[in-house]
């Protein structure tokens, strides 16, 4: 009996797999523990299509019959969600077809739905490639084979670019169908290829991309696996994932585990067992498909690569083999966050998105291997939502392709030098007749350096005066900001407040034009526009002098003063001269010498505004008329007579003899306020005692003078 059983088992194992119609089921595993995950992973269970639900601690996964048995045996708790996912897809697709064919869609003309549940059969795929090459000769290089699969099928590459120019272009690689059952990865690329070919003239982004990038499309990397699904499930929904290379009694390698970076790092998410759907192959690059990609990347320096998969609405980037982040995680997050503003996707490394690690996957090698080729910024988007599952129903093919288009456009734009923002750092207004100094910085979000960038500022608005209209920014590193540069703008004098003028920045870098529309508004943020404000000491007064060229919304100026460390006190007020302003003066008469600080205060909507403070050291002169003792005294024959006047006045300085007779008038004239020193020569007088007198209309003082010759 025993021997008989073993015999039957052997027989079963030897019968080619496709003779069985494999049933795949979807299970929801309950009460997930680390142990369960380990068991599932080490049993080669397809954790890849698993989504862990942290709210009820469950995960859904898809299993074949063998795996179903394993789970039952292990006593793992589960609910069967779908007993046969292929049937389930066919059913669902039939229902949606009925609605779908009645609705109109706006597909690219060359894109056609295939006969495999909406997905193309291999011959339909090939004829679409040929259509492209025939219709768009300026943009498409005919399909070329980059290798043959184990079963002898060609792996096709189609290059698309604007070949009318022969610029040096940034190369971007796109692949679909690493996994044979992920149909939307193929249709989304075909959709995009036709879209860009048909919309060069209509869509400025596409024009820019085709003029500056060269796209390398490999929409069907795994034709053997796809052909197998076509055979077993001609209406779509086939569940084969790997390619079809035989290894012992088993078939197929998971191409997304066969790349040579950290290949076989561990047994998590990648298996050494040929029977497992994540079988990594006997050695890195054992498969013709991955070999073809390797060779292509070694002979072309791609900036980036997008490898499409389904499903999960995810943008996945390295690493796969570890939970750690790639060195360029900041850029990966930067670009991904821009994409997810447009489409409802999540992003992160493998662990953060699909929830498990994978070693030997395409992205890790493309990005991580920097020896045999350059670093390629790789992504593996998982197209479609969890309800779309592997094969989205036909009505979902176009919406999913549009999401992929958004991903393609973004990543392509950033695969090169790409200034994506101009940051205005100054204020975008001008007050009064001031000049506004606008400070700007440019952000290069792209993966290549900007060599130099010329910024041209232009306007058609005659009220605007561009003081400098050409700037130069030298060298912006990849994913970095430029130095700050400045330009100056002002408005013509009579431009009213509130007026907004438009102007343009034209950036020209690495031969690429970029335009940014900006505006600037003339507003008055200040009630008063000062031209000057000075203080000086004049004799025993302090003179405050200021000029304005514009005043508004205020009545006048409050003059504040403080001495040493005291508080400000208001010492005066002067009314405004009106909107055009003018010259103002204010006199202060401090009583004591000392250090004084002044400022002028105005109000704007009850809010005080101050001029800058002005300091002065004030020296006190005797405040009254003073006649000082002459020196030298006795004199021979020259002497100096000093006096102090509190204000400008006419005065007489005279010499008298002891008898009171005026002998000489030295000065009879107007003198300015302040201290004066008058030199007197007495050589014509005999030695004797004299008197000198200072006389004005309100003052008289006399002092004695001795002349000794
Ligand atoms: O497991 C895979 O190969 C991918 N998921 S799928 O459901 N399409 O099979 C995810 C690979 C993620 N890894 C990296 N992008 N590094
Ligand atoms: Zn996949």
């Amino acid at each position: 009996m025993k021997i008989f059983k073993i015999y039957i088992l052997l027989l079963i194992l030897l019968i080619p797999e496709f003779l069985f119609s494999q049933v795949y089921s979807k299970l929801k595993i309950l009460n997930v523990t680390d142990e369960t995950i380990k068991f599932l992973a080490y049993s080669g269970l397809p954790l890849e299509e698993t989504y862990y639900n942290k709210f009820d601690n469950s995960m859904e996964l898809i299993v074949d019959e063998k795996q179903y048995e394993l789970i039952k045996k292990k006593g793992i708790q589960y609910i069967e969600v779908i007993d046969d996912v292929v049937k389930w897809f066919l059913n669902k697709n039939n229902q949606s077809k009925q609605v779908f064919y009645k609705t109109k869609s706006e597909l690219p003309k060359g894109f056609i739905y295939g006969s495999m549940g909406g997905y193309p059969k291999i011959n339909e795929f090939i004829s679409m490639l040929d259509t492209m090459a025939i219709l768009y000769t300026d943009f498409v290089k005919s399909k070329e084979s980059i290798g043959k699969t184990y079963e002898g099928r060609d792996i096709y590459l189609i290059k698309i670019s604007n070949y009318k120019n022969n610029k040096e272009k940034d190369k971007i690689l796109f692949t679909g169908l690493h996994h044979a059952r992920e149909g939307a990865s193929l249709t989304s690329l075909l959709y995009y290829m036709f879209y860009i070919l048909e919309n060069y003239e209509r869509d400025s982004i596409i024009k820019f991309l085709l003029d500056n990038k060269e796209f390398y499309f490999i929409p069907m990397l795994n034709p053997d696996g796809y052909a197998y699904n076509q055979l077993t499930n001609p209406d779509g929904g086939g569940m084969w994932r790997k390619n079809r290379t035989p290894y012992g009694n088993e078939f197929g390698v998971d191409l997304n585990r066969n790349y040579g970076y950290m290949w076989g790092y561990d047994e998590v998410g990648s298996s050494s067992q040929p029977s497992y759907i994540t079988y990594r192959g006997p050695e890195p690059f054992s498969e013709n498909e991955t070999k073809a990609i390797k060779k292509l990347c070694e002979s072309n320096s791609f900036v980036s690569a997008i490898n499409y998969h389904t499903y999960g609405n995810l943008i996945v980037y390295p690493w796969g083999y570890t939970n750690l982040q790639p060195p360029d995680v900041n850029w990966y997050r930067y670009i991904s966050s821009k994409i997810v503003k447009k489409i409802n996707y999540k992003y992160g490394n493998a662990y953060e998105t699909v929830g498990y690690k994978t070693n030997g996957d395409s992205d890790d090698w493309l990005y991580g291997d920097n020896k045999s080729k350059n670093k390629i910024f790789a992504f593996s988007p998982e197209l479609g939502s969890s309800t779309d599952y592997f094969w989205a129903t036909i009505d979902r093919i176009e919406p999913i392709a549009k999401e992929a288009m958004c991903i393609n456009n973004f990543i392509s734009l950033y695969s090169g030098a790409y200034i994506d923002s101009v940051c205005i750092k100054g204020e975008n207004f001008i007050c009064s007749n001031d000049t506004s100094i606008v400070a700007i910085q440019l952000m290069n979000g792209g993966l290549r350096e900007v060599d130099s960038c010329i910024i041209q500022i232009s306007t058609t608005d005659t009220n605007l005066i561009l003081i400098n209209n050409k700037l130069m920014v030298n060298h912006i590193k990849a994913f970095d900001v430029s130095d700050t540069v400045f330009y100056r703008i002002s408005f013509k004098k009579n431009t009213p407040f509130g007026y907004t003028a438009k102007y343009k920045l034209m950036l020209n870098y690495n031969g690429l034009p970029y335009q940014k529309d900006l505006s600037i508004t003339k507003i008055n943020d200040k009630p008063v526009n000062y031209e000057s404000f000075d203080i000086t000491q004049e004799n025993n007064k302090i003179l405050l002098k200021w000029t304005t060229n514009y005043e508004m919304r205020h009545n006048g100026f409050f003059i504040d003063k403080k001495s040493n460390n005291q508080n400000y006190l208001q010492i005066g007020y002067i009314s405004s001269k009106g909107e055009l302003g003018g010259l103002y003066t204010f006199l202060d008469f401090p009583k004591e010498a000392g250090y004084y600080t002044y400022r002028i205060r105005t109000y704007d909507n009850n809010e005080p505004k101050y001029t800058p403070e002005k300091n002065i050291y004030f020296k006190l002169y005797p405040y009254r008329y003073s006649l000082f003792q002459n020196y030298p005294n006795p004199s021979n024959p020259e002497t100096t007579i000093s006096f102090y006047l509190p204000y400008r006045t006419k005065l007489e300085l005279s010499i008298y003899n002891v008898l009171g007779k005026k002998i000489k008038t030295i000065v009879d004239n107007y003198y300015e306020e302040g201290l004066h020193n008058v030199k007197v020569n007495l050589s014509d007088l005999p030695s004797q005692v004299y008197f000198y007198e200072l006389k004005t209309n309100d003052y008289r003082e006399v002092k004695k003078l001795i002349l000794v010759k």
Side-chain angles (χ1 to χ4, degrees):
M1 268 308 265
K2 243 185 191 168
I3 291 169
F4 180 67
K5 260 190 190 163
I6 291 171
Y7 183 70
I8 290 187
L9 201 74
L10 271 175
L11 244 181
I12 292 172
L13 287 175
L14 288 173
I15 295 170
E17 206 177 328
F18 66 80
L19 291 185
F20 293 104
S21 134
Q22 227 349 324
V23 174
Y24 294 85
S25 315
K26 188 180 178 183
L27 305 182
K28 182 177 172 122
I29 307 288
L30 306 172
N31 303 321
V32 176
T33 62
D34 283 356
E35 278 308 300
T36 340
I37 294 178
K38 251 189 214 153
F39 170 77
L40 297 171
Y42 283 89
S43 317
L45 267 147
L47 290 184
E48 29 293 324
E49 276 85 35
T50 298
Y51 295 94
Y52 177 71
N53 183 338
K54 61 182 170 199
F55 297 109
D56 63 357
N57 190 31
S58 73
M59 54 203 270
E60 290 193 348
L61 71 161
I62 180 161
V63 291
D64 62 22
E65 287 149 287
K66 271 189 270 174
Q67 292 159 339
Y68 203 156
E69 277 310 306
L70 259 168
I71 287 174
K72 277 185 193 161
K73 268 199 198 134
K74 182 81 184 171
I76 289 173
Q77 273 183 277
Y78 67 89
I79 301 170
E80 189 185 87
V81 185
I82 302 168
D83 64 335
D84 183 337
V85 290
V86 177
K87 253 199 219 151
W88 173 79
F89 164 73
L90 292 175
N91 224 335
K92 194 161 70 125
N93 207 24
N94 271 334
Q95 282 169 15
S96 59
K97 264 183 199 164
Q98 290 167 12
V99 191
F100 174 70
Y101 283 117
K102 287 180 200 145
T103 59
K104 247 191 161 178
S105 84
E106 12 145 353
L107 285 178
K109 285 183 209 72
F111 179 88
I112 46 163
Y113 288 106
S115 60
M116 201 161 76
Y119 297 86
K121 294 206 165 125
I122 293 187
N123 62 336
E124 294 165 340
F125 160 69
I126 291 171
S127 80
M128 276 205 248
L129 300 187
D130 292 337
T131 310
M132 287 176 202
I134 293 165
L135 291 181
Y136 301 99
T137 44
D138 288 337
F139 293 94
V140 188
K141 295 261 162 93
S142 302
K143 67 179 192 298
E144 57 187 280
S145 173
I146 57 161
K148 278 206 190 293
T149 62
Y150 178 82
E151 292 178 351
R153 293 187 179 83
D154 283 308
I155 301 162
Y156 287 120
L157 163 72
I158 299 90
K159 296 182 198 169
I160 299 183
S161 181
N162 178 9
Y163 291 111
K164 286 179 286 184
N165 76 39
N166 38 20
K167 276 188 188 175
E168 229 200 274
K169 292 170 179 154
D170 304 310
K171 295 181 181 183
I172 303 157
L173 175 65
F174 296 84
T175 73
L177 287 182
H178 265 80
H179 293 141
R181 62 182 170 188
E182 300 175 2
S185 69
L186 168 66
T187 49
S188 297
L189 286 177
L190 290 170
Y191 182 100
Y192 188 62
M193 292 160 90
F194 277 112
Y195 183 87
I196 59 180
L197 291 171
E198 293 172 17
N199 289 282
Y200 177 82
E201 299 293 347
R202 268 170 280 182
D203 184 328
S204 62
I205 291 177
I206 300 303
K207 182 175 189 313
F208 173 84
L209 291 178
L210 290 176
D211 286 345
N212 296 286
K213 316 281 161 186
E214 189 176 19
F215 294 139
Y216 284 58
F217 290 100
I218 304 169
M220 190 183 286
L221 182 65
N222 181 5
D224 286 358
Y226 197 71
Y228 181 73
N229 280 329
Q230 189 174 313
L231 183 72
T232 57
N233 299 77
D235 294 325
M239 290 299 287
W240 191 255
R241 167 183 170 99
K242 301 188 279 184
N243 70 359
R244 291 294 298 172
T245 315
Y247 283 100
N249 296 321
E250 301 288 344
F251 288 89
V253 167
D254 182 344
L255 296 179
N256 212 27
R257 302 293 182 275
N258 191 238
Y259 288 84
Y261 187 81
M262 296 293 166
W263 179 90
Y265 179 77
D266 57 22
E267 280 292 302
V268 182
S270 146
S271 175
S272 56
Q273 306 296 309
S275 60
Y276 291 0
I277 65 160
T278 53
Y279 177 47
R280 66 174 85 104
E283 60 187 32
F285 295 113
S286 59
E287 303 309 295
N288 293 349
E289 296 85 345
T290 50
K291 273 188 188 121
I293 297 279
K294 182 172 192 282
K295 208 174 126 202
L296 187 70
C297 293
E298 285 167 358
S299 43
N300 292 283
S301 46
F302 292 109
V303 181
S304 58
I306 310 178
N307 304 298
Y308 277 110
H309 290 258
T310 69
Y311 58 88
N313 280 8
L314 301 169
I315 296 166
V316 191
Y317 48 73
W319 298 113
Y321 79 98
T322 163
N323 297 347
L324 299 177
Q325 297 296 345
D328 297 288
V329 63
N330 289 338
W331 182 80
Y332 271 116
R333 287 184 178 156
Y334 182 77
I335 174 102
S336 305
S337 64
K338 285 185 186 287
I339 299 170
V340 301
K341 283 196 185 116
K342 308 272 179 198
I343 57 176
N344 184 23
Y345 277 51
K346 280 201 296 201
Y347 62 86
N349 64 12
Y351 185 68
E352 289 168 320
T353 51
V354 286
Y356 54 87
K357 299 193 293 176
T358 58
N359 61 62
D361 79 15
S362 59
D363 295 6
D364 282 9
W365 180 76
L366 290 166
Y367 176 74
D369 180 347
N370 303 161
K371 284 191 198 110
S372 69
K373 49 139 196 70
N374 63 294
K375 169 165 80 181
I376 301 169
F377 285 79
F379 294 83
S380 286
E382 299 271 5
L383 294 172
S385 70
S386 58
T387 53
D388 288 323
Y389 226 48
F390 291 111
W391 297 87
T393 51
I394 188 163
D395 57 310
R396 291 279 301 144
I397 289 178
E398 187 182 10
I400 290 173
K402 282 184 173 163
E403 292 170 354
M405 176 146 82
C406 172
I407 298 173
N408 296 340
N409 284 351
F410 262 106
I411 294 173
S412 302
L413 281 174
Y414 282 78
S415 296
Y418 189 60
I419 294 177
D420 63 1
S421 55
V422 175
C423 164
I424 307 286
K425 295 168 78 188
E427 301 161 26
N428 70 336
F429 58 80
I430 300 181
C431 172
S432 179
N433 298 314
D434 282 354
T435 297
S436 197
I437 295 174
V438 186
I440 58 166
Q441 250 184 329
L442 310 181
M443 171 74 199
N444 175 15
L447 289 171
R448 287 199 195 277
E449 293 179 351
V450 171
D451 299 332
S452 71
C453 178
I454 297 164
I455 306 172
Q456 236 152 337
I457 306 145
S458 65
T459 186
T460 50
D461 193 311
T462 50
N463 280 320
L464 209 57
I465 305 165
L466 304 172
I467 296 162
N468 53 338
N469 59 7
K470 202 168 180 179
L471 300 172
M472 180 79 172
V473 176
N474 290 315
H475 190 89
I476 316 170
K477 282 191 237 148
F479 191 45
D480 204 350
V481 288
S482 72
D483 294 338
T484 305
V485 289
F486 304 89
Y487 55 90
R488 299 191 302 147
I489 288 187
S490 69
F491 278 101
K492 287 216 176 115
K493 224 177 176 130
N494 296 325
T495 312
F497 288 110
Y499 183 86
T500 297
K502 289 193 172 129
Y503 66 102
K504 269 187 184 59
L505 295 191
M506 286 282 302
L507 310 188
N508 203 304
Y509 62 100
N510 294 31
L512 305 177
Y514 167 99
Q515 198 175 298
K516 172 101 180 169
D517 292 318
L518 293 168
S519 67
I520 189 156
T521 304
K522 181 169 173 175
I523 64 165
N524 65 24
D525 65 326
K526 302 178 269 184
V528 178
N529 195 48
Y530 292 92
E531 268 178 353
S532 67
F533 171 40
D534 298 303
I535 58 173
T536 45
Q537 172 165 3
E538 300 206 337
N539 304 307
N540 275 351
K541 297 174 301 215
I542 288 178
L543 171 68
L544 289 83
K545 197 169 159 184
W546 64 98
T547 54
T548 68
N549 56 20
Y550 172 74
E551 291 175 35
M552 214 194 181
R553 296 199 307 263
H554 90 129
N555 299 319
F557 303 89
F558 297 84
I559 294 100
D560 291 341
K561 170 189 177 183
K562 68 177 179 184
S563 51
N564 295 318
N565 290 324
Q566 302 208 288
N567 293 332
Y568 270 114
L569 286 173
Q570 183 186 322
I571 56 162
Y573 175 81
I574 291 183
S575 294
S576 166
K577 290 184 172 171
E579 195 175 318
L580 293 175
L583 169 70
Y584 297 87
T585 56
F586 180 82
L587 284 173
D588 184 33
F589 300 86
K591 300 271 154 14
E592 288 165 36
Y595 192 77
Y596 293 105
T597 305
Y598 295 85
R599 70 176 182 201
I600 296 167
R601 171 166 40 100
T602 53
Y603 285 90
D604 182 21
N605 289 326
N606 295 325
E607 218 191 281
K609 304 263 179 191
Y610 305 101
T611 59
E613 296 182 335
K614 295 276 179 182
N615 304 310
I616 194 162
Y617 191 81
F618 177 73
K619 200 172 140 193
L620 190 67
Y621 297 106
Y623 187 79
R624 282 165 291 122
Y625 288 101
S626 295
L627 182 65
F628 299 99
Q629 187 58 57
N630 71 306
Y631 58 93
N633 187 33
S635 25
N636 179 22
E638 251 186 36
T639 192
T640 300
I641 297 168
S642 301
F643 53 88
Y644 182 83
L645 306 178
Y647 47 82
R648 177 187 157 85
T649 182
K650 189 172 195 291
L651 64 85
E652 224 185 279
L653 184 63
S654 314
I655 308 277
Y656 289 79
N657 65 15
V658 282
L659 301 171
K661 184 171 186 287
K662 191 196 270 185
I663 293 168
K664 202 178 171 115
T665 297
I666 301 163
V667 156
D668 181 7
N669 212 336
Y670 274 95
Y671 269 74
E672 295 297 323
E673 168 191 342
L675 183 70
H676 299 274
N677 306 307
V678 177
K679 278 206 163 109
V680 185
N681 195 326
L682 302 173
S683 54
D684 53 341
L685 297 181
S687 298
Q688 202 182 305
V689 171
Y690 297 92
F691 293 98
Y692 58 96
E693 179 207 45
L694 176 73
K695 204 172 106 190
T696 72
N697 61 355
D698 61 354
Y699 178 73
R700 178 177 171 268
E701 191 174 348
V702 177
K703 280 204 146 69
K704 199 188 321 177
L705 177 155
I706 301 162
L707 178 68
V708 182
K709 290 212 228 169

